Amino acid sequence: MKLKIVWSQFAENEIDKIYDYYLHKVGIRVAKKIIKEIVSEPNKLISNKFSTQIEKLLLDRENEYHYLVCKNYKIIYSIDKENKQIQIADVFDTRQNPVKLRRTK
């Protein structure tokens, strides 16, 4: 079963914030490189979707969330088997307090 990667608006907004941060701190080349790495990381899930860990801070949610790590970021996602999608819910900077991961949209 081939799955499609779908980014939530919340995750896209986080990507925009990350890009803006690096753009102003170190420049466009680094900002583009980091975003490209983050955005391409979930492609690994298409062939090996259940090889990542469950996000324990989100066990109280309706969906079961897993995560990938790319640089200093956790890419939080769930699998929608019915619609054959990998749904990226959030991109979280792991240098923050982990409890912030429980934030809602």
Side-chain angles (χ1 to χ4, degrees):
M1 162 173 69
K2 180 141 171 126
L3 301 176
K4 179 181 176 185
I5 297 172
V6 178
W7 291 76
S8 71
Q9 187 61 52
F10 187 82
E12 287 181 7
N13 291 344
E14 294 302 302
I15 290 285
D16 290 343
K17 290 177 191 175
I18 294 165
Y19 178 82
D20 289 342
Y21 173 82
Y22 284 104
L23 178 65
H24 291 91
K25 290 290 181 183
V26 291
I28 193 167
R29 188 174 54 157
V30 172
K32 283 183 176 181
K33 181 178 184 245
I34 289 171
I35 295 307
K36 182 178 179 183
E37 290 174 11
I38 293 171
V39 170
S40 66
E41 189 71 17
N43 291 331
K44 295 176 182 176
L45 296 170
I46 291 172
S47 61
N48 199 9
K49 61 191 167 294
F50 298 109
S51 66
T52 60
Q53 296 184 13
I54 292 174
E55 179 49 67
K56 295 186 192 252
L57 290 172
L58 299 176
L59 287 175
D60 61 337
R61 303 290 172 94
E62 185 178 325
N63 293 332
E64 181 179 87
Y65 288 96
H66 294 254
Y67 68 90
L68 290 167
V69 176
C70 179
K71 302 274 184 204
N72 293 317
Y73 299 94
K74 272 187 176 181
I75 302 167
I76 310 294
Y77 71 94
S78 62
I79 304 289
D80 180 348
K81 293 178 186 175
E82 185 177 315
N83 293 313
K84 299 180 182 175
Q85 294 178 342
I86 298 167
Q87 298 175 333
I88 309 297
D90 193 0
V91 180
F92 183 76
D93 189 334
T94 59
R95 296 168 289 187
Q96 298 179 68
N97 181 343
V99 175
K100 284 185 176 181
L101 184 58
R102 292 187 181 143
R103 69 197 188 276
T104 57
K105 299 175 189 172

